[in-house]
Amino acid sequence: MIKILFVCHGNICRSPMCEFVFKDMVAKAGLSEQFHIESRATHTDEIWNGQGSPVYPPAKAKMTEHGISCDGKRAQLLQYSEYSRFDYFIGMDSENLYAMRRILHGDKDGKVSLLLDYSNHPRDVADPWYTRDFETTYRDVVEGCKGLLDYLKKKMG
């Protein structure tokens, strides 16, 4: 089983979009049994008293527009102990990459990468919390998730 953890700053926009878009792609490819997919935050901005915020309403609306549900998802913080549990840690931007490596005490096994490194145009996924452009973020997420799935299917043989 391939275990993937998508990571962004607050786990309310980009990483949950990736989590549920990728789950949808994997299901449509008939590969759900071969993957375990979750998402996390690098900061506690959206977690209070142990309770994470739900997916940000405009991000949730964008996924709903494309027939993808993220009901029940709440922000969770990335933990050092998860390094041994997951095969891939996929960040959204260079700031996430830095924070992930700090939390995970480095990346001795080469598990940390950026989502759009799996695309033909590597770049950061813009944070829609700041840009308010959820459509561009959604397109970036789909582009990166397709590239990641193609990469993993080749590795699977």
Side-chain angles (χ1 to χ4, degrees), residues 9-156:
H9 183 89
N11 194 215
I12 61 165
C13 294
R14 294 173 293 172
S15 60
M17 288 174 87
C18 286
E19 175 183 349
F20 291 97
V21 165
F22 199 71
K23 283 179 177 177
D24 184 63
M25 286 181 182
V26 164
K28 287 176 177 168
L31 300 171
S32 294
E33 298 298 317
Q34 297 179 47
F35 286 90
H36 178 83
I37 305 154
E38 296 184 41
S39 63
R40 298 284 189 277
T42 59
H43 291 80
T44 58
D45 296 357
E46 294 296 331
I47 303 167
W48 296 281
N49 299 319
Q51 177 81 10
S53 297
V55 174
Y56 191 52
K60 183 175 183 174
K62 183 53 63 180
M63 287 190 288
T64 300
E65 183 182 309
H66 293 277
I68 299 171
S69 173
C70 59
D71 289 345
K73 172 65 184 171
R74 291 191 164 273
Q76 294 175 271
L77 186 64
L78 177 63
Q79 304 288 325
Y80 168 72
S81 61
E82 293 175 309
Y83 194 77
S84 62
R85 293 184 33 234
F86 287 88
D87 303 306
Y88 295 89
F89 293 82
I90 312 292
M92 302 300 116
D93 62 34
S94 53
E95 184 181 305
N96 300 154
L97 209 59
Y98 175 81
M100 291 160 62
R101 289 182 175 136
R102 180 183 48 77
I103 293 165
L104 299 171
H105 302 184
D107 181 24
K108 65 180 174 54
D109 299 326
K111 297 180 179 188
V112 176
S113 62
L114 291 175
L115 178 67
L116 290 171
D117 285 351
Y118 296 94
S119 77
N120 292 327
H121 304 286
R123 62 197 183 280
D124 287 350
V125 176
D127 191 341
W129 178 264
Y130 299 105
T131 68
R132 297 294 184 228
D133 185 353
F134 288 85
E135 180 59 33
T136 296
T137 298
Y138 183 81
R139 284 196 309 264
D140 285 351
V141 163
V142 168
E143 179 184 345
C145 285
K146 280 182 181 173
L148 176 61
L149 185 56
D150 289 345
Y151 169 81
L152 293 172
K153 286 190 328 193
K154 286 177 188 162
K155 280 191 78 168
M156 293 163 67

